[in-house]
Amino acid sequence: MKITKLTTYLVPPRWLFLKIETDEGLTGWGEPVLEGHAETLAAKIAELSDFLCGRDPLHIEDIWQSLYRNGCYRGGPVLMSAISGIDMALWDIKGKYHDAPVHALLGGPVRNRVRTYCWIGGDRPRNLIEGAKALMDAGYDACKMNICDELQIVDSYARIDGIVKRLADLREAVGTKMDLAFDFHGRVHAPMAKILLKELEPLRPMFVEDAVVSAQVDRMADLARSTTIPLVIGERLHSRYDFRRVFETRAASVVNPDTAHVGGISEMVRIGHMAEAYDVALAPHCPLGPIALAASLQVDAICHNAFIQEQSLGIHYNQGGDLTDYVTDKEVFKVENGFISIPQGPGLGIELDEDVISERAAQGHRWRAPVWRHADGSIAEW
């Protein structure tokens, strides 16, 4: 069997889908997207197609290593996101070839469902109580939110007090029926992060994500030693080599690599098993589309330390398209009692609606991250 064609589809709200075709009629789907850079990834896939066409799609590891190691430059968000989508699609083909879900080819599942959470509040955290209660009504028992707007490297205690009050009001409203994850989103610099972590400890968050930007692994390690709150890092790291430093410095109790950014299913599994050796939990990042979520669920099925899965149904970014718009089975990601079942169909376990994909690709998108500035005019972390 040989790869014959790669086709990308730029679809709203901010996603890029990849279809890989073969000379035996089997096709696979991946999601090689980098938010705000979808057109760049489409160009990268086109560039890599010269190398991929004619290759045996079942030789997943050799293809992965060839894409990663060939050409001198390796790692980084663009190359690894492109490899991610290709890797997903190849596993999808291999599962269909063997008429088995991906997890069955990787040793078999350790679980048949995984706990899940979704977002509330938007980029600027507003209406958190209403959002949390709506999720509870929909069957969720965990949610995540951004904790603040712009925050200077050293800001006022009035700002800190406002952040803490908003989150304390939320905790009081939902009690212990809803677990809360707080995302600092890299907006908080180390001086304020240390203060906030201390102030937020009484609210007992499930975890704090990106307490500082991912480049500051050493500072996150310092923060991890000063708080009882589990810290999370990973969505902006792009290979097991990036994560090695996190594990060695004990910078986080949880890692959240993104299957669409870190090298696909193959690399996610490697990172998940590395994390297990350090007794670090796995909580895959996925505020993305249905293909990335299906790929994440296959990883959740086989990594014992996976405990919760992010997903984007109804997230504030999903304007003009949502998870179930692109799949034929609208129940495939149904949440019951806070859990999503692991798809059991061949490959990734989902069937894409190609008519909808083609129709929406004609519309496309140009999603960009918002530009924020501080009161003094300087650029702010988003």
Side-chain angles (χ1 to χ4, degrees):
M1 182 163 53
K2 304 296 182 185
I3 295 172
T4 57
K5 187 177 181 182
L6 289 82
T7 308
T8 53
Y9 301 86
L10 198 74
V11 298
R14 56 178 189 160
W15 303 331
L16 183 73
F17 294 167
L18 165 66
K19 180 181 180 181
I20 295 183
E21 299 176 57
T22 69
D23 60 358
E24 293 189 12
L26 288 178
T27 61
W29 288 87
E31 196 167 329
V33 70
L34 188 66
E35 301 95 297
H37 307 276
E39 291 162 303
T40 300
L41 265 295
K44 186 61 182 175
I45 293 296
E47 186 177 67
L48 293 174
S49 67
D50 294 345
F51 174 82
L52 289 164
C53 287
R55 297 292 299 270
D56 185 338
L58 303 183
H59 293 177
I60 297 174
E61 184 64 17
D62 185 61
I63 289 174
W64 196 101
Q65 295 290 348
S66 298
L67 292 173
Y68 181 77
R69 297 179 186 280
N70 182 255
C72 186
Y73 302 103
R74 61 184 62 172
V78 174
L79 176 61
M80 298 309 291
S81 296
I83 292 175
S84 296
I86 293 165
D87 185 81
M88 290 179 209
L90 296 181
W91 277 111
D92 196 26
I93 290 170
K94 190 158 194 167
K96 292 170 181 174
Y97 180 83
H98 291 287
D99 193 27
V102 170
H103 62 72
L105 306 179
L106 292 171
V110 299
R111 59 178 55 82
N112 54 28
R113 61 178 187 162
V114 66
R115 194 179 181 203
T116 188
Y117 72 86
C118 202
W119 275 79
I120 59 174
D123 273 343
R124 299 182 182 277
R126 304 292 186 269
N127 303 315
L128 297 180
I129 294 172
E130 296 88 338
K133 289 185 174 180
L135 281 183
M136 292 169 71
D137 291 342
Y140 293 83
D141 61 5
C143 64
K144 185 170 79 177
M145 69 231 59
N146 290 312
I147 64 141
C148 64
D149 299 350
E150 301 93 332
L151 201 66
Q152 268 285 12
I153 186 167
V154 175
D155 216 313
S156 69
Y157 276 96
R159 295 290 302 280
I160 297 295
D161 290 346
I163 293 167
V164 174
K165 183 180 187 308
R166 180 187 299 122
L167 299 176
D169 289 347
L170 172 62
R171 171 55 79 198
E172 182 178 3
V174 301
T176 57
K177 295 180 180 178
M178 174 72 82
D179 280 335
L180 306 177
F182 298 155
D183 193 351
F184 286 18
H185 210 255
R187 298 173 186 175
V188 185
H189 295 267
M192 295 293 97
K194 190 170 186 178
I195 293 169
L196 271 169
L197 288 170
K198 181 180 179 181
E199 295 288 338
L200 295 175
E201 277 194 349
L203 303 185
R204 298 190 294 174
M206 180 168 58
F207 56 73
V208 163
E209 184 174 322
D210 285 342
V212 290
V213 293
S214 295
Q216 300 280 1
V217 172
D218 54 340
R219 295 311 305 268
M220 187 172 287
D222 292 339
L223 293 170
R225 287 186 284 269
S226 71
T227 184
T228 62
I229 301 172
L231 300 188
V232 178
I233 187 174
E235 68 177 82
R236 306 183 203 185
L237 304 179
H238 301 289
S239 75
R240 78 199 92 150
Y241 304 104
D242 292 343
F243 280 90
R244 183 176 65 181
R245 189 169 174 224
V246 174
F247 299 139
E248 291 175 348
T249 61
R250 307 298 196 271
S253 301
V254 183
V255 290
N256 68 331
D258 192 311
T259 189
H261 302 327
V262 82
I265 293 171
S266 297
E267 190 76 346
M268 281 279 283
V269 170
R270 290 188 278 259
I271 292 166
H273 292 332
M274 284 178 68
E276 186 180 0
Y278 288 87
D279 206 24
V280 170
L282 178 67
H285 180 262
C286 191
L288 297 170
I291 306 170
L293 178 56
S296 295
L297 291 171
Q298 298 297 325
V299 174
D300 293 324
I302 66 165
C303 286
H304 187 268
N305 51 333
F307 77 102
I308 200 164
Q309 175 63 57
E310 181 178 23
Q311 50 94 359
S312 74
L313 189 64
I315 197 172
H316 51 287
Y317 300 124
N318 289 1
Q319 303 298 317
D322 214 327
L323 276 178
T324 56
D325 292 357
Y326 296 101
V327 293
T328 58
D329 179 3
K330 306 303 181 184
E331 301 292 306
V332 68
F333 299 128
K334 183 178 180 180
V335 175
E336 294 186 287
N337 299 318
F339 288 82
I340 294 181
S341 294
I342 306 297
Q344 298 298 318
L348 296 179
I350 61 171
E351 184 176 339
L352 280 298
D353 190 327
E354 295 193 42
D355 290 337
V356 173
I357 291 172
S358 296
E359 175 188 327
R360 299 288 179 86
Q363 174 186 343
H365 70 82
R366 287 186 64 81
W367 187 87
R368 298 292 185 269
V371 177
W372 289 5
R373 292 189 179 275
H374 293 297
D376 64 4
S378 61
I379 194 74
E381 299 281 357
W382 157 63

